[in-house]
């Protein structure tokens, strides 16, 4: 039989759940994430964004990823932070 077609609304809902559709979801550019972190610091007085921060889960994950990349760099393993990002 015919399979039901997903409505645009349901596709939007599924994409917001970050289900894999065979493509990498759009992510916010590094500089914009850095600005969000700067705004976070201005608001809270620190940059220790909790990994489970529900207000901006993307920022929380980004901060965690940056810490991991910086740790890898310090340990001499290959990282993807460029010199400009490290100096920021």
């Amino acid at each position: 039989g015919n399979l039901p077609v997903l409505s645009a609304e349901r596709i939007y809902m599924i994409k917001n759940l970050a289900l894999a559709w065979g493509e990498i979801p759009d992510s916010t550019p590094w500089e914009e994430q850095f600005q969000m972190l700067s705004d976070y610091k201005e608001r809270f007085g620190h940059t220790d964004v909790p990994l489970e921060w529900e207000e901006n889960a993307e920022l929380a994950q980004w901060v965690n990823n940056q810490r991991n990349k910086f740790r890898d760099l310090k340990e001499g393993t290959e990282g993807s932070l460029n010199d400009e990002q490290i100096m920021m």
Side-chain angles (χ1 to χ4, degrees), residues 25-42 46-51 53 55-67 69 81 85 88:
D26 293 336
S27 62
T28 306
W30 195 94
E31 292 80 7
E32 289 180 34
Q33 293 282 11
F34 185 81
Q35 182 59 52
M36 285 191 275
L37 180 59
S38 180
D39 295 343
Y40 179 95
K41 182 177 182 183
E42 186 175 316
H46 61 81
T47 59
D48 191 18
V49 182
L51 186 55
W53 191 43
E55 187 174 322
N56 189 337
E58 184 180 8
L59 176 63
Q61 184 63 51
W62 180 84
V63 169
N64 185 61
N65 289 342
Q66 300 312 301
R67 287 185 183 128
K69 290 175 183 181
L81 288 176
Q85 292 169 339
M88 292 180 98

